[in-house]
Amino acid sequence: MPNVLNILIVDDNPEDRALVRREIARELPNCQFRQATNSQEFSRALEASSLDLVVTDYQVRWTDGLAVLTSVKRRWPECPVIIFTGTGNEEIAVQSMKAGLDDYVLKSPRHYARLASAVHTALERSRQRQALSQAERRYQNLFDDVPVGLFRVSRAGKILDANSALVEMLAYPDRNSLLESRLMSILADAKERRALLEEIKKSGIVRGFEARFYRRDGKIIWARANARAIRNDLQRVIFFEGSLEDITARQQAEQLLRASEARKGAILNSALDPIITINHQGQIMEFNPAAEKAFGRRRDDVMGQEMAGLIIPQSLREPHRRGLERHLATGHSAILGKRVELTGMRADGKEFPVELTVTKVNLDGPPLFTGFIRDTTDRKRAEKQLRDSREQLRALAAYLQSVREEERARIAREVHDELGQTLTGLKMDLVWIERKMAAVSSSDDLRLFEEKVKELPGRVDAIVGTVRKIATELRPPVLDDFGLEAAIEWQIQEFEKRTGITCHFHSSLKQADLDPERTTTVFRIFQETLTNVVRHAEATQVNIYLREEDEKLVLEVQDNGRGLTGRELSGPKSLGLLGMRERATMLDGEVNIIGRQGKGTTVGVRIPIHRPERYPKK
């Protein structure tokens, strides 16, 4: 059912009131009429309820049409008013229309029909005004309630309107104080200000423009601006409207995230060990520079690729895949959180030992797995060298013990065979002389006794020679009396006599006052070198060089034999060579042995020269 229209008729003439009801009811039958014939009825009608329309005469006994119009608009601003009169004139009509009158109809038979049309038009315009007013109120409410700052700005940059969110965002006390500002003056950076102006002039619209803005208190915030130019029918810009969204918190979060990513990147990039992260599908998500170097693959080439097919040897790929699937299904892992030793594979297919520790990172969604990898090639090599060194040292100790026992046995044999027998014979001769002295009775016995006595000095000299020979072999006196150069010459002579191998000695050593420890070490290494020549070299000639070079004593022994191979030089049975190196190492020196197959072997000894301290004379 249509709504009933409440229409008030202000007229003190009953016939005219009836005329109004008749003409209006003809067009609008669903009307409820009320009348006011005096000021009291008029006042009660205004206060009683809302009115949809007022029709008034211009001239009544207690007032006029302009006063009625003013009173109605004051109480019901949206209520339309029509003056229906026969006493007015054009001037009154114009004045009334300026005051808000909706229409002016003359009381004459030829204008009666126009009254209904005027009422219909006035009511329609009233509905339009109310709809527009409601729309404006809704828009204003929306404008004020939106959490994003909204604005209108003139072409000159003056803020024409702003909602409460913008006022609060920019820390102004109220809207009016903000409207006194210019939008461009609150942009904190001149470059950003120019960029915003150029963009909006170019296209008439700005989307997602991020810039810094001043608040009223001087603080700077980040905001994202969206704006557009509003044009009139002639396509001229009349103002700009848009929004500002405070993104300071987001910018700070992004800055913290960038800083965090930078720190993480710095840690990953500076890490000495490879660090690799994979997702639940086994695809590489992180690959640091150390990993690039260790595996010989570029980060850009491996990102998103399955790790198993790139850095895991063929024999371990399926176990890796099954282990990952089992962990995702059951949560069980044989290596997670443990330090394990495995094998990695470089880009060229070469395998190498690694030590791996895997940690699990639980995020929203599928987990990530980060592996910390250490190339243990050098460690394994060092461990092997240490094991080999220990084995060599044990073998060397056994060898030295064997050599010591052999030397003791040799000395014991010489003492027993030569000294023992000679001394026994001497003792027997002395006993014989003692017995014969008491029984000498003839010249023949005396002559035999004298011959025995004459033999004794020779026998004693032989014993002394044997003692000297044993002592010389233990440590040649020439080494202590005349130095290293003379000792080497003596050893060469003895070597040539014993072996028949020709030796050539070349010495340019200028300083002969070496300390005994170094002299002994070099001499013993030289003796061991000659022993190796006899045992292994199959040589016919040996060249010996002795010189001083860069504050080091240098001894080189070159033979023309078959040449020792690398395996012989580093083998477990090369204990003599190991002993030579150990002797040199104790004095911060070194022994280098170079064997060329068929071209002989060269032994080079270099030991720093430390001469004995010379004390000033007192």
Side-chain angles (χ1 to χ4, degrees):
M1 179 178 179
N3 295 329
V4 177
L5 296 175
N6 292 317
I7 299 177
L8 175 63
I9 302 174
V10 182
D11 200 324
D12 51 10
N13 186 330
E15 294 180 357
D16 290 342
R17 292 198 298 272
L19 175 63
V20 170
R21 286 196 295 271
R22 185 189 69 215
E23 293 298 328
I24 293 176
R26 184 179 298 163
E27 292 290 333
L28 302 169
N30 192 29
C31 296
Q32 181 177 345
F33 295 97
R34 302 176 63 183
Q35 62 184 23
T37 60
N38 53 52
S39 60
Q40 292 82 5
E41 291 179 354
F42 179 64
S43 298
R44 286 195 298 270
L46 289 181
E47 298 298 331
S49 60
S50 63
L51 297 174
D52 295 314
L53 178 68
V54 174
V55 180
T56 180
D57 195 357
Y58 179 76
Q59 188 67 46
V60 292
R61 292 190 299 272
W62 46 275
T63 187
D64 61 37
L66 283 176
V68 172
L69 173 64
T70 302
S71 299
V72 171
K73 293 296 183 180
R74 186 185 304 116
R75 180 68 179 86
W76 305 103
E78 301 299 329
C79 179
V81 178
I82 297 174
I83 292 180
F84 184 58
T85 182
T87 60
N89 53 41
E90 186 175 349
E91 182 180 353
I92 294 174
V94 173
Q95 186 178 2
S96 300
M97 296 298 286
K98 290 181 179 180
L101 185 68
D102 287 87
D103 211 339
Y104 190 93
V105 181
L106 295 176
K107 288 182 181 179
S108 64
R110 64 191 184 92
H111 291 102
Y112 290 164
R114 184 174 174 277
L115 178 61
S117 176
V119 169
H120 184 79
T121 301
L123 289 173
E124 183 62 29
R125 282 202 297 263
S126 175
R127 281 192 292 269
Q128 292 176 356
R129 284 197 301 270
Q130 291 178 9
L132 179 61
S133 178
Q134 291 175 358
E136 289 178 348
R137 284 195 298 272
R138 286 195 299 271
Y139 170 78
Q140 192 63 44
N141 292 335
L142 180 64
F143 185 78
D144 290 334
D145 294 341
V146 168
V148 177
L150 302 178
F151 60 86
R152 290 194 191 96
V153 180
S154 69
R155 294 176 58 189
K158 186 178 185 307
I159 300 177
L160 302 175
D161 198 4
N163 67 346
S164 56
L166 185 62
V167 174
E168 182 179 357
M169 182 191 306
L170 298 177
Y172 279 80
D174 51 51
R175 188 187 308 238
N176 291 333
S177 60
L178 178 58
L179 297 184
E180 294 174 359
S181 304
R182 292 180 176 272
L183 181 63
M184 293 302 168
S185 67
I186 62 177
L187 271 162
D189 187 90
K191 293 182 179 178
E192 294 171 352
R193 186 184 309 127
R194 288 193 296 270
L196 178 60
L197 287 173
E198 290 175 1
E199 189 168 346
I200 200 168
K201 286 180 180 179
K202 181 179 179 181
S203 62
I205 190 168
V206 172
R207 290 190 179 93
F209 185 88
E210 295 183 359
R212 288 164 294 177
F213 292 82
Y214 285 118
R215 286 170 32 120
R216 178 70 178 273
D217 55 12
K219 294 181 179 179
I220 294 178
I221 64 170
W222 275 93
R224 182 171 57 195
N226 295 287
R228 63 175 181 172
I230 304 301
R231 305 176 185 273
N232 59 14
D233 295 339
L234 300 177
Q235 294 301 307
R236 292 189 58 189
V237 176
I238 54 178
F239 63 85
F240 303 96
E241 65 179 11
S243 64
L244 280 182
E245 180 183 2
D246 189 347
I247 59 171
T248 304
R250 193 202 73 188
Q251 285 283 346
Q252 292 173 346
E254 290 179 352
Q255 185 176 359
L256 291 175
L257 179 60
R258 287 193 296 270
S260 176
E261 290 293 326
R263 287 193 296 270
K264 185 191 80 170
I267 293 172
L268 289 175
N269 293 338
S270 62
L272 299 179
D273 293 330
I275 300 175
I276 301 175
T277 297
I278 63 172
N279 61 13
H280 67 291
Q281 296 177 332
Q283 297 168 332
I284 296 176
M285 307 301 293
E286 187 55 68
F287 202 79
N288 73 335
E292 291 183 306
K293 183 178 179 181
F295 293 97
R297 295 183 181 274
R298 295 177 63 252
R299 181 179 187 274
D300 294 340
D301 296 336
V302 302
M303 292 297 288
Q305 301 295 319
E306 187 193 20
M307 181 186 69
L310 297 177
I311 67 172
I312 297 179
Q314 182 70 37
S315 60
L316 299 177
R317 290 175 188 173
E318 284 307 315
H320 162 76
R321 294 184 180 114
R322 289 196 300 270
L324 180 59
E325 293 173 358
R326 182 172 62 253
H327 173 73
L328 294 174
T330 65
H332 178 267
S333 174
I335 66 172
L336 197 62
K338 301 177 182 178
R339 197 183 303 274
V340 296
E341 292 188 353
L342 296 171
T343 303
M345 185 181 70
R346 306 187 200 278
D348 58 7
K350 292 183 179 179
E351 298 183 8
F352 63 103
V354 298
E355 187 179 79
L356 171 67
T357 302
V358 181
T359 60
K360 180 180 179 181
V361 182
N362 289 312
L363 303 172
D364 293 338
L368 297 177
F369 302 90
T370 296
F372 300 88
I373 303 167
R374 176 162 295 175
D375 185 346
T376 58
T377 302
D378 293 338
R379 193 190 74 189
K380 292 290 185 181
R381 184 184 299 115
E383 290 175 352
K384 184 179 183 303
Q385 290 174 348
L386 180 60
R387 287 194 302 270
D388 293 344
S389 176
R390 287 175 177 172
E391 292 177 1
Q392 288 177 341
L393 288 176
R394 284 194 293 269
L396 177 60
Y399 170 74
L400 293 177
Q401 183 66 26
S402 174
V403 169
R404 190 179 297 114
E405 292 300 326
E406 289 179 2
E407 187 69 13
R408 287 172 179 173
R410 186 184 64 81
I411 295 173
R413 282 195 303 271
E414 292 187 3
V415 170
H416 178 272
D417 295 344
E418 297 187 26
L419 285 181
Q421 291 177 10
T422 305
L423 289 174
T424 300
L426 180 61
K427 180 180 178 181
M428 292 173 65
D429 288 342
L430 290 174
V431 172
W432 182 85
I433 292 171
E434 181 182 4
R435 290 176 181 174
K436 290 295 182 178
M437 285 179 65
V440 173
S441 59
S442 65
S443 57
D444 293 336
D445 292 336
L446 182 60
R447 189 170 51 254
L448 182 61
F449 178 78
E450 289 176 352
E451 290 176 357
K452 286 288 186 183
V453 171
K454 290 179 180 179
E455 291 176 359
L456 289 179
R459 302 281 292 276
V460 172
D461 288 341
I463 294 171
V464 172
T466 301
V467 171
R468 287 178 177 175
K469 176 177 176 293
I470 295 172
T472 300
E473 290 179 354
L474 292 176
R475 182 177 179 86
V478 67
L479 183 63
D480 297 323
D481 296 339
F482 300 102
L484 178 62
E485 191 172 5
I488 290 176
E489 288 178 345
W490 170 82
Q491 185 66 60
I492 289 173
Q493 293 173 1
E494 293 294 319
F495 178 76
E496 287 179 327
K497 291 177 183 178
R498 188 171 68 253
T499 64
I501 299 175
T502 304
C503 296
H504 299 284
F505 180 43
H506 310 275
S507 177
S508 59
L509 188 64
K510 298 179 181 179
Q511 302 291 340
D513 55 349
L514 299 173
D515 64 85
E517 186 177 12
R518 279 160 175 72
T519 300
T520 302
T521 297
V522 174
F523 181 74
R524 293 304 185 195
I525 292 175
F526 177 63
Q527 282 184 315
E528 183 66 33
T529 302
L530 293 182
T531 300
N532 288 332
V533 170
V534 173
R535 290 178 178 177
H536 308 293
E538 301 175 5
T540 60
Q541 180 177 313
V542 178
N543 292 319
I544 302 100
Y545 301 90
L546 183 66
R547 64 182 181 274
E548 181 180 342
E549 184 179 287
D550 298 331
E551 294 297 321
K552 289 185 179 180
L553 178 63
V554 179
L555 172 68
E556 289 185 359
V557 181
Q558 301 174 354
D559 67 63
N560 64 347
R562 64 182 180 84
L564 296 180
T565 64
R567 179 173 297 180
E568 289 175 320
L569 293 174
S570 60
K573 296 183 179 180
S574 57
L575 299 176
L577 304 180
L578 179 60
M580 293 163 56
R581 290 193 175 98
E582 290 296 327
R583 285 180 180 272
T585 301
M586 292 176 64
L587 296 178
D588 297 328
E590 61 181 358
V591 174
N592 296 314
I593 304 173
I594 302 174
R596 297 182 180 89
Q597 194 166 6
K599 296 183 179 180
T601 302
T602 300
V603 177
V605 184
R606 292 175 178 269
I607 294 179
I609 296 176
H610 293 278
R611 297 188 176 91
E613 294 183 359
R614 301 186 181 274
Y615 298 97
K617 295 182 179 180
K618 295 183 180 179

